Amino acid sequence: MLIKLAKENLQRLKYTYTWEDDKPSESSKLDRENGFEVLSFIEDFMNRYDLNKLSDAHKVEDMLHRKKLADIDDKKELAATIEYLLRLKL
């Protein structure tokens, strides 16, 4: 089942995003301030690991904003790190 998230699914009281660009960039780097990029990253992550609960989306979103992961901006490296931290299996 393919997960599709909306702006309203993000934790808007906890994190602030910009919504100027209407689509995520094709860059390998994640812009954590761009809401569309964050949505796309979370959707891709959830679909890769067959996650389907909003609570799972919030866990990934929280991981994206952890200070310990702030220096990682490469999407693949970030996904691998979050996978490890959440102990997910393919």
Side-chain angles (χ1 to χ4, degrees):
M1 178 166 100
L2 227 58
I3 296 297
K4 187 70 177 154
L5 298 173
K7 288 188 211 184
E8 295 77 24
N9 297 128
L10 295 180
Q11 301 174 81
R12 295 177 298 158
L13 297 177
K14 197 171 188 180
Y15 306 112
T16 303
Y17 301 103
T18 60
W19 299 97
E20 296 165 6
D21 298 326
D22 63 349
K23 61 181 181 176
S25 75
E26 298 298 319
S27 170
S28 64
K29 307 292 183 192
L30 179 68
D31 177 358
R32 288 176 172 88
E33 294 178 6
N34 182 315
F36 292 109
E37 286 199 31
V38 171
L39 275 175
S40 177
F41 181 89
I42 294 171
E43 285 174 355
D44 291 346
F45 190 90
M46 291 181 69
N47 287 319
R48 181 176 184 188
Y49 294 103
D50 200 28
L51 303 173
N52 57 19
K53 297 180 199 165
L54 187 56
S55 61
D56 294 328
H58 290 170
K59 286 178 189 176
V60 175
E61 184 181 12
D62 288 338
M63 288 291 200
L64 289 176
H65 294 283
R66 287 180 75 172
K67 289 183 182 185
K68 290 183 177 184
L69 302 183
D71 291 337
I72 304 172
D73 61 356
D74 180 77
K75 292 175 185 176
K76 288 183 181 181
E77 183 180 354
L78 192 54
T81 302
I82 292 172
E83 171 195 351
Y84 174 77
L85 291 173
L86 293 177
R87 309 276 193 275
L88 295 176
K89 306 242 189 265
L90 284 173

